[in-house]
Amino acid sequence: MKLVISEGSPHGIKVLAAAALWAGNVEIQRLQQEEKVVPFLSQPKLPALQLDNGNFLFTTNAICRYLFLSSGKDITDLSNQWLEWEATELQPACIAALHSHVVQGKKKEEAILNIQKCLIHLDQSLGKENHPYIVTDSLSVADVAVWASIYPLFTSLDSLPDNLSSFKSWFKNVSQLEECQKAAESLLKGQGASAFKAFLQKLPTPVLPAEKPACN
Amino acid sequence: MAVDELGALEKCLGLKGGKYSCKAQGGGQVPVLQINKGPSLSGLATIASYLVKEAKKEELLGASIEEKTIVQQWLEYRITRIDRLASKEDVRCILKDLNLYLEDKVYLAGNTITLADILIYYGLHPIIADLSIQEKETYINVSRWFSHIQHYPGIRQHLPSLVFIKNRIYTNLH
């Protein structure tokens, strides 16, 4: 199978880490910019994983799921819930925070306020469950998906919020894994989040929808 | 709305109705299911996948690893794309992509119906209901697939049946 990623896109971190952790034989192709690879999608959408039968997977979480399942592991309901949360809430919030920091020049601390709610949710859940990873005692696809979305905002681990201690120790744990570190560094190239500037500039300014009051 | 849909899915799977609430998340409303034997589960795709397992109809989640992943990929597409359409242009974009994807397929994942077909059908229903006959013909593969799924026993539930015309009227298309 072949994993196609685009240089300078933060979405590559997640799938490169998953490939390093759970798959032995993945060919990795790096394209200089967003190119059209998946034949049925009209807009360029990378990363993409081309399977040996020619079929494509085109979302980062689907790619991670496939690699994780292929390594003989199982995805639980709780992992599904974290992956769904990552795709619908965390990922858009992180991209918006990155955009406001890297493109609009907001201070990092201010930009991080965009994801504060998500970090608190994660911290509380990690604290409550009392195991080192998000769903169990061992690293799962949910850890990698959630970690990779947040990582570009905390490339220097010393800026992690002290008041969220469970989050902080979990984040350090995952960041220190060799596979995760290599995946991130191969895209960040020592430049921190500004490595993603060109990619982020092409995005329409992300607008986080205002929170609506919860229904009954 | 997601709660009604999960109710329809429960009926379609032959399950008794569960206890639902909803909470604000990511700027929208997310369904939450209270489970007797454990903590609650939240999110449309997560709950729907759980219900399928509860009903012992795992075949709806895909047979192989590839099919399982493709089913989950379309569930993600449903909640991140179809549920967040912001403009006419977005609508055209997803219909165009689905139309191309379905060109050589009967179902979204593999060779039988899966949860992906059911949830994308529910999600597209209000959009397809708004299309003109001419637009339905433009997205001919989506129309063929949609019409097939809505006639599949037990799936449509409370949703109105939408009309598709078998013979093309606009012969200049394609």
Side-chain angles (χ1 to χ4, degrees):
Chain A
M1 54 192 154
K2 187 166 83 175
L3 181 60
V4 189
I5 61 158
S6 138
E7 290 283 8
S9 155
H11 299 301
I13 298 177
K14 195 194 282 183
V15 293
L16 284 176
L21 284 160
W22 298 306
N25 55 338
V26 192
E27 179 195 339
I28 291 164
Q29 185 182 10
R30 289 164 173 264
L31 299 178
Q32 278 312 311
Q33 54 203 352
E34 294 271 309
E35 277 180 53
K36 201 173 167 299
V37 171
V38 184
F40 54 87
L41 296 179
S42 48
Q43 286 166 352
K45 182 107 175 55
L46 290 176
L49 182 68
Q50 185 172 21
L51 305 176
D52 292 336
N53 61 12
N55 288 344
F56 282 93
L57 297 174
F58 61 87
T59 75
T60 53
N61 283 1
I63 294 170
C64 292
R65 278 174 184 277
Y66 183 83
L67 298 171
F68 191 67
L69 289 173
S70 301
S71 76
K73 298 192 168 69
D74 205 24
I75 298 179
T76 60
D77 291 325
L78 208 52
S79 291
N80 277 337
Q81 179 172 284
W82 281 104
L83 289 172
E84 182 166 358
W85 176 76
E86 193 279 335
T88 53
E89 182 155 17
L90 180 68
Q91 205 183 109
C94 287
I95 291 290
L98 266 182
H99 193 275
S100 73
H101 173 55
V102 176
V103 179
Q104 298 162 52
K106 277 226 183 94
K107 279 204 187 119
K108 179 78 99 29
E109 302 76 62
E110 256 177 78
I112 286 168
L113 289 178
N114 272 330
I115 62 164
Q116 191 68 13
K117 257 184 70 182
C118 294
L119 297 185
I120 293 171
H121 173 63
L122 189 55
D123 181 67
Q124 283 173 346
S125 172
L126 284 162
K128 200 167 60 190
E129 298 298 336
N130 210 18
H131 40 60
Y133 295 102
I134 291 182
V135 285
T136 56
D137 286 331
S138 56
L139 184 81
S140 78
V141 63
D143 293 289
V144 171
V146 171
W147 168 83
S149 268
I150 302 173
Y151 188 76
L153 289 159
F154 292 109
T155 50
S156 61
L157 296 177
D158 45 8
S159 63
L160 288 165
D162 281 318
N163 55 334
L164 305 175
S165 61
S166 303
F167 163 71
K168 196 173 165 177
S169 63
W170 166 82
F171 190 82
K172 276 192 168 165
N173 261 342
V174 183
S175 301
Q176 277 156 7
L177 295 171
E178 196 192 339
E179 291 90 347
C180 292
Q181 232 173 56
K182 273 193 180 159
E185 209 32 60
S186 78
L187 285 162
L188 291 159
K189 302 187 198 307
Q191 301 170 50
S194 61
F196 303 133
K197 189 165 184 174
F199 170 85
L200 293 163
Q201 274 171 332
K202 278 184 226 141
L203 296 179
T205 305
V207 188
L208 281 179
E211 295 287 344
K212 288 167 207 147
C215 74
N216 242 338
Chain B
M1 212 185 93
V3 173
D4 295 343
E5 189 178 325
L6 288 165
L9 180 65
E10 282 172 337
K11 278 189 198 145
C12 150
L13 293 168
L15 290 172
K16 273 196 287 182
K19 239 191 191 168
Y20 290 98
S21 55
C22 59
K23 64 172 182 187
Q25 182 177 298
Q29 293 293 325
V30 177
V32 180
L33 172 65
Q34 193 55 51
I35 299 167
N36 292 335
K37 45 185 188 218
S40 58
L41 278 181
S42 61
L44 179 69
T46 302
I47 297 173
S49 305
Y50 165 82
L51 292 176
V52 167
K53 282 182 265 177
E54 276 297 286
K56 306 220 177 328
K57 296 200 167 134
E58 273 93 347
E59 66 274 13
L60 289 174
L61 294 174
S64 61
I65 288 176
E66 178 180 342
E67 278 174 32
K68 284 187 201 338
T69 310
I70 291 175
V71 168
Q72 293 297 327
Q73 175 169 263
W74 286 113
L75 299 188
E76 187 183 343
Y77 188 87
R78 158 71 208 266
I79 52 183
T80 58
R81 300 291 312 277
I82 299 177
D83 289 353
R84 295 185 175 188
L85 295 169
S87 63
K88 279 259 175 212
E89 189 48 43
D90 284 353
V91 174
R92 272 194 292 272
C93 184
I94 62 141
L95 288 174
K96 198 173 153 198
D97 290 355
L98 279 167
N99 197 55
L100 204 52
Y101 180 77
L102 286 166
E103 196 165 30
D104 56 355
K105 293 180 183 67
V106 178
Y107 299 101
L108 285 168
N111 295 321
T112 55
I113 194 158
T114 63
L115 184 60
D117 295 294
I118 303 175
L119 286 202
I120 298 273
Y121 160 73
Y122 287 156
L124 283 183
H125 194 281
I127 293 160
I128 304 288
D130 262 2
L131 295 184
S132 65
I133 293 170
Q134 186 170 3
E135 284 169 315
K136 283 178 187 160
E137 286 193 9
T138 308
Y139 307 112
I140 190 76
N141 303 315
V142 176
S143 296
R144 167 181 52 75
W145 167 84
F146 190 95
S147 166
H148 176 59
I149 302 300
Q150 79 170 352
H151 288 112
Y152 205 93
I155 289 178
R156 187 169 62 80
Q157 296 293 333
H158 62 288
L159 294 168
S161 178
L162 302 183
V163 178
F164 295 88
I165 295 172
K166 279 220 172 100
N167 301 311
R168 282 172 170 269
I169 336 181
Y170 300 92
T171 48
N172 57 337
L173 292 173
H174 289 277

